[in-house]
Amino acid sequence: MKLSPDPKKALLTELNKCRACRFCVDVCPTYQVSGGLEALSSFGRIQIIRHLLTGMLELDDSLSYALYSCLQCRRCENTCKAKGQALDICQIIQQARAYLAPDYAKEVADGV
Ligand code: SF4
Ligand code: SF4
């Protein structure tokens, strides 16, 4: 996904490629260790980002945690591409962190 002067539009364009097949969910290690919390899966993060961008959700600590707990391991991305998709899921999550929750990692590091 290319950097864009309009990150919200770029993110929504990319998110709209998701076909909600959920093939990526079971391979996500944070989903696995959470005992099956979809918010901590690849598809769950995509949904959270979509709803934050469209105003259906407001950012709070739990949603920030969902975004920042992604390990950037690319297991979901490889599975998605294996099914004929082309979502750069790790890049989507990175850009969503920068756009939607840029201060969260610093707050955690500072113990706020
Ligand atoms: S595998 Fe790809 S297309 Fe399917 S739900 Fe996951 S991100 Fe969306
Ligand atoms: S990159 Fe993030 S969302 Fe994808 S499988 Fe790894 S931890 Fe899950």
Side-chain angles (χ1 to χ4, degrees):
M1 188 169 65
K2 292 177 183 170
L3 287 173
S4 165
D6 188 341
K8 178 177 176 179
K9 184 177 177 186
L11 278 165
L12 284 171
T13 298
E14 200 66 17
L15 292 171
N16 285 338
K17 295 178 184 173
C18 174
R19 297 181 186 175
C21 63
R22 301 178 86 262
F23 287 127
C24 59
V25 171
D26 286 338
V27 302
C28 178
T30 55
Y31 174 77
Q32 292 167 352
V33 300
S34 77
L37 280 178
E38 188 158 89
L40 300 185
S41 74
S42 39
F43 179 64
R45 291 183 176 101
I46 284 173
Q47 294 305 307
I48 288 168
I49 294 166
R50 185 197 308 281
H51 291 316
L52 286 171
L53 288 170
T54 56
M56 298 291 287
L57 285 175
E58 281 189 30
L59 190 67
D60 61 15
D61 281 352
S62 64
L63 298 179
S64 298
Y65 179 78
L67 295 183
Y68 275 88
S69 58
C70 166
L71 304 171
Q72 296 282 288
C73 65
R74 297 195 182 279
R75 291 181 72 184
C76 56
E77 205 167 281
N78 291 335
T79 301
C80 184
K81 286 178 176 173
K83 299 298 178 186
Q85 305 296 317
L87 265 76
D88 295 330
I89 300 171
C90 290
Q91 199 173 8
I92 289 170
I93 293 171
Q94 279 182 32
Q95 294 199 3
R97 287 170 175 172
Y99 181 68
L100 294 165
D103 299 330
Y104 183 74
K106 184 176 183 310
E107 286 176 9
V108 171
D110 292 344
V112 175

